[in-house]
Amino acid sequence: MDAAQFALAKAYIDFDATSEAALRAFHPVAAAHFTAIVDDFYGRVEEVPAARALITGGKEQIARLKLTLREWLDRLLQGPYDEDYLEARSRIGRVHVRIGMSQEFMFTAMNRMRVRLQDVALDGYADDPQTCRAVVRAVGQVLDLELAIMLDTYRESLLEDMRATERLATIGQLAASIGHELRNPLGTIDSSLFLVRQRLNRLGLEDPQLTKHHDRIGTQVEHCGKIINNLLDLARERPPRRKRTSVAELIQLALERAALPEGIAVEVEELGAHTIDADADDISHVLVNLLGNAAQAQGGSGRVRITAYRFKGGTTLTVTDAGPGVPPEIRHRIFDALFTTKARGTGLGLALCRRILHAHGGEIDLEPSEVGATFRVWVPDSELLGGDEAPSAS
């Protein structure tokens, strides 16, 4: 939602200077009840399993969220309701989208706030019906405005997913055609290189310069083959072959395939008996890509940390590096196919990772971080998606 749309939304619900004044006057009355309102809100969250599953940090996280909700209430009733307000509220909405909060929770949350705040107004202004009506009306208006902002962030996310899907479909169709056309000549080059090497060996010819160029051609053919495979994977609509797999074994497989430089120290959080309901080859491909990016971001020398935990009916993996991080201005583009900041990059790696996660019904995100980059991968259990499998508990 931009500033013009925000102004239009305020006009549509008749939210004006009178509404703002009524809310500011109501603030000291309502502030005395904030603790009760916040406790009631999170008490209800803990009673609903689907909502409680979004909170993974236990009582400490709930305590932090309660403080955040008090600050949210303060700004709700004091404003100012300007572009900074819009941006701050939009950021909250994007967090809700990122953690997978369903839109129904947004409606019920706003309704619960509406009821509690309007109850406070009815009690606080029982002897002043005119003021009471003005406050109740203003509370309803500002919460309608909040809901419009929040729902717009879901709309933005949906549109971006649709655009990404359309881009991948177009690229996939082109990739399938180009990939098949290039495989034949590359196969011929590869076979010819093998035959040349065999011939040189039989003739007993050893020429270091010739060997160097022979190996260089072979390396580039292999590199081209990987690009073609990635292009074809983008075009492929193969459903994942899901199977309950040990997270520790999956990470070990990815580390072996990634073949990271010796200068990269990898720290794997104690994983215990965690399992993941996924196509092991696909998810290891994702991890290999993230590990390779982490190594490159640190110039082949640095630290990478891998964690795993259960979250909202699935398994979350994170890969964190100590590199320079991703500039804010390009964070929203890093999963776009063909977008790259590397001199020799193809822009296919992260796009393919996202395609793999979407095929699993999961998510891949770049988490906010002050240092380095943290990528979060979430894979839901197949039973959460309505699959026929009944995965064992992890």
Side-chain angles (χ1 to χ4, degrees):
M1 179 179 291
D2 58 25
Q5 292 170 323
F6 185 50
L8 186 62
K10 287 196 285 188
Y12 185 77
I13 61 175
D14 293 326
F15 185 80
D16 52 22
T18 301
S19 306
E20 295 184 25
L23 291 173
R24 282 193 287 270
F26 177 50
H27 177 265
V29 177
H33 300 268
F34 281 177
T35 299
I37 292 173
V38 169
D39 287 345
D40 169 77
F41 184 87
Y42 279 103
R44 181 56 182 156
V45 166
E46 293 191 77
E47 292 173 0
V48 180
R52 189 176 63 244
L54 296 173
I55 300 175
T56 59
K59 293 182 179 180
E60 291 184 358
Q61 185 183 5
I62 289 178
R64 292 194 300 271
L65 290 172
K66 285 184 175 183
L67 290 175
T68 301
L69 183 55
R70 286 185 66 96
E71 294 171 357
W72 182 87
L73 285 166
D74 267 324
R75 187 74 188 271
L76 180 78
L77 299 181
Q78 294 188 103
Y81 309 93
D82 53 14
E83 290 186 33
D84 287 341
Y85 182 94
L86 170 63
E87 179 53 34
R89 289 336 208 201
S90 294
R91 282 198 300 270
I92 295 172
R94 294 184 193 108
V95 171
H96 291 164
V97 171
R98 180 171 54 80
I99 67 173
M101 181 181 290
S102 67
Q103 294 186 42
E104 65 186 87
F105 287 157
M106 294 305 310
F107 283 100
T108 55
M110 291 300 173
N111 188 58
R112 198 166 190 86
M113 284 296 167
R114 189 188 311 268
V115 170
R116 292 306 305 272
L117 288 171
Q118 290 182 344
D119 282 346
V120 170
L122 291 171
D123 290 340
Y125 298 106
D127 297 331
D128 188 352
Q130 184 175 351
T131 300
C132 184
R133 283 194 298 273
V135 170
V136 167
R137 178 175 179 271
V139 167
Q141 288 174 321
V142 76
L143 287 173
D144 283 345
L145 193 60
E146 286 279 343
L147 190 58
I149 295 170
M150 295 294 172
L151 292 179
D152 191 69
T153 61
Y154 283 85
R155 183 188 66 84
E156 289 176 354
S157 176
L158 177 61
L159 289 175
E160 180 54 36
D161 284 346
M162 290 173 61
R163 285 192 290 266
T165 299
E166 290 171 358
R167 283 196 299 269
L168 282 177
T170 302
I171 291 169
Q173 292 169 6
L174 180 61
S177 174
I178 293 176
H180 288 299
E181 290 295 326
L182 289 178
R183 261 189 168 166
N184 289 334
L186 282 174
T188 301
I189 295 171
D190 196 35
S191 298
S192 297
L193 278 173
F194 175 77
L195 294 173
V196 168
R197 169 54 64 188
Q198 293 291 94
R199 178 69 172 169
L200 290 174
N201 289 339
R202 280 198 298 270
L203 294 174
L205 296 177
E206 284 295 336
D207 184 331
Q209 193 71 8
L210 186 62
T211 299
K212 182 182 78 169
H213 287 290
H214 178 280
D215 292 344
R216 183 176 293 174
I217 294 170
T219 299
Q220 293 304 312
V221 168
E222 183 180 353
H223 179 62
C224 289
K226 289 180 179 179
I227 293 174
I228 290 171
N229 287 336
N230 284 342
L231 284 168
L232 293 175
D233 284 339
L234 275 177
R236 194 173 292 130
E237 293 289 349
R238 177 183 65 80
R241 296 182 289 268
R242 303 174 72 112
K243 180 182 178 182
R244 182 64 72 176
T245 305
S246 162
V247 170
E249 292 177 5
L250 179 65
I251 291 175
Q252 184 59 39
L253 174 65
L255 288 171
E256 292 172 1
R257 291 179 173 176
L260 297 175
E262 291 184 2
I264 296 294
V266 180
E267 175 191 352
V268 181
E269 184 182 78
E270 179 59 43
L271 301 174
H274 280 308
T275 60
I276 186 169
D277 181 22
D279 185 315
D281 282 337
D282 281 354
I283 301 303
S284 69
H285 181 101
V286 171
L287 291 176
V288 167
N289 188 278
L290 297 179
L291 289 167
N293 286 349
Q296 290 180 28
Q298 299 174 92
S301 178
R303 303 187 316 277
V304 177
R305 184 166 184 265
I306 304 172
T307 68
Y309 54 89
R310 294 287 296 171
F311 179 60
K312 62 172 185 175
T315 303
T316 293
L317 303 168
T318 68
V319 177
T320 302
D321 65 55
V326 179
E329 62 270 18
I330 65 169
R331 292 174 71 91
H332 67 290
R333 296 195 60 196
I334 60 172
F335 294 103
D336 290 352
L338 305 183
F339 176 79
T340 183
T341 58
K342 301 174 186 176
R344 299 185 63 188
T346 62
L348 297 174
L350 288 176
L352 182 56
C353 289
R354 181 165 67 173
R355 182 135 185 155
I356 289 171
L357 266 300
H358 281 189
H360 279 76
E363 303 166 354
I364 180 168
D365 294 302
L366 174 62
E367 298 277 88
S369 58
E370 294 182 2
V371 179
T374 296
F375 284 88
R376 179 186 66 92
V377 170
W378 176 70
V379 181
D381 295 339
S382 54
E383 62 181 3
L384 190 68
L385 303 174
D388 296 330
E389 303 171 54
S392 59
S394 60

